[in-house]
Amino acid sequence: MTTLYANGWIATCDDEGTEHESGWLLVDGGGIASVGAGSEPAADERVDLAGALVTPGLVNTHHHLYQTLTRARAQQADLFSWLRELYPVWAGIDAEAEYAAARTGLAELALSGCSTVFDHHYVFPRGRTGLVEAEVQAARELGVRLVASRGSMDLGASDGGLPPDELVEDIDSVLADTQRLVAELHETGPGARVQMAVAPCSPFSVTKRLMTESAALARRLGLVLHTHLAETAEEEAYCLELYGATPVEYLTDLGWLGGDVWCAHCVHLSADDTADFAASGTGVAHCPTSNLRLGAGVAPVRDYLDAGVRVGLGVDGSASNERGDLLFEVKQALLVARGRGGASAMTAREALQLGTRGGAGLLGRDDLGSLEPGKRADFAVWRTDGLELGGAIDPVAGIVLSAPHRVDRLVVEGEDVVRGGALVRADEGEIARGHRAQARRFAP
Ligand SMILES: [Zn+2]
């Protein structure tokens, strides 16, 4: 079955930044057969895009889906105060709540044009099972790709860590459960819809031994590896006191840095840290809205890109970025880069690249992130005939600079996930109602 999506402005996000102003995209099953302009190839079905903009599906590289249950809390708190207030609330999570939260977060992301989501789940209250499985079920039902993670915390407050003792686990359980989930859920090869990553939470909530053993496990199983790093100045002071090293020095000592690793935030990297990230291939999940919300600062992403550091974007959890909208995060990345470095610090197309190619690269997915023959058919269609883009002669700059927008159509593996601005496989109102019922259980 072939489908030709014709009469659109196709922004491929390939290496050359190719765009076809009046172009077409030929999809064969779940993959892209060809992209071009001019005379149209034959296809079983032809869809007229009426001048809409087509981009690759956006890729979210840092999230905590469960946090949709606890939005707008700790409103003036910095990271550590925010965490201390919320850890006890999050201790109430179970599979039912996680499922409702994941449905909500994934639906929001899909409606913002996001086709692939990494979720960093690290709260596993003792005795609660099925949390990661609940996320996976939600992703499969909605039709988006999910890279889930079996995160962890094992450094409780009584050992000098930040989380309460009741929320930390022992190392052997963490590693055994990670292996179980990988065996049950992780798919390999092009087009994989569900994958697993290994993702201990942070230097201030995980012991040195679990950090080391997590990296060894990820490398033995061929999985990507992730953690939070250098989010705030307080974290740096904490690491210096506890480990006698900055967060990046600490990670380097543990043998973490590498092309299979990406770290969330990295707001506070020195020039030497940046060079080490570039040389080792270590990536950064830039989460500008969350960093602004918690007053953590603004990551020097222009410097990272100039140094050759790999960068993708993340909305981060909805307790520190109440809006799970990845196109809006593309705009935020542009705005904060310009706030730091002036009007030429980042173009709209560079920002879009971070939200597509950049993110796919961090997740180790060379089959996603651009619209090229041989890649999977994951793309977003953005209408250009509404109020917000009137007068915009350049739809790529127009869509980024005027974000957020609800995507008109989101296609994953050749199949519609969103059509006409609505979820195809689920009802938005029903998701919201189910979520409200679960969220009430977490209310003060
Ligand atoms: Zn996070």
Side-chain angles (χ1 to χ4, degrees), residues 62-64 67 79 82 120 122 201 226-228 231 264-265 287 290 315-317 320:
H62 187 68
H63 207 347
H64 313 285
Q67 291 183 10
L79 176 67
W82 176 87
H120 188 180
Y122 56 84
C201 185
H226 180 72
T227 194
H228 292 99
E231 182 170 354
H265 306 304
C287 307
S290 171
V315 296
D316 204 0
S320 65

Side-chain angles (χ1 to χ4, degrees), residues 5 8 18 42 65 78 134-135 138 146 212 214 219 265 337-338 343 346 350 357 400 404 437:
Y5 296 86
T18 306
L65 288 164
D78 62 15
E135 287 180 38
L146 179 71
T212 307
S214 295
R219 283 162 181 161
H265 306 304
R338 293 185 180 189
M346 186 175 288
E350 284 178 309
R357 285 291 287 282
V400 171

Side-chain angles (χ1 to χ4, degrees), residues 412-435:
V412 177
E413 193 71 10
E415 297 169 1
D416 283 353
V417 170
V418 176
R419 195 189 304 131
L423 298 169
V424 172
R425 304 165 189 215
D427 180 74
E428 203 175 319
E430 188 271 320
I431 291 175
R433 280 191 297 279
H435 184 265

Side-chain angles (χ1 to χ4, degrees), residues 256-323:
W256 256 62
L257 300 194
D260 54 348
V261 176
W262 84 110
C263 301
H265 306 304
C266 299
V267 174
H268 302 280
L269 299 194
S270 68
D272 284 349
D273 295 339
T274 304
D276 289 346
F277 264 51
S280 61
T282 308
V284 170
H286 179 39
C287 307
T289 303
S290 171
N291 298 150
L292 294 173
R293 154 66 152 98
L294 294 174
V298 175
V301 165
R302 181 71 263 163
D303 296 346
Y304 297 167
L305 296 173
D306 290 344
V309 176
R310 303 184 303 136
V311 179
L313 300 179
V315 296
D316 204 0
S318 284
S320 65
N321 172 8
E322 276 70 5
R323 192 172 177 108

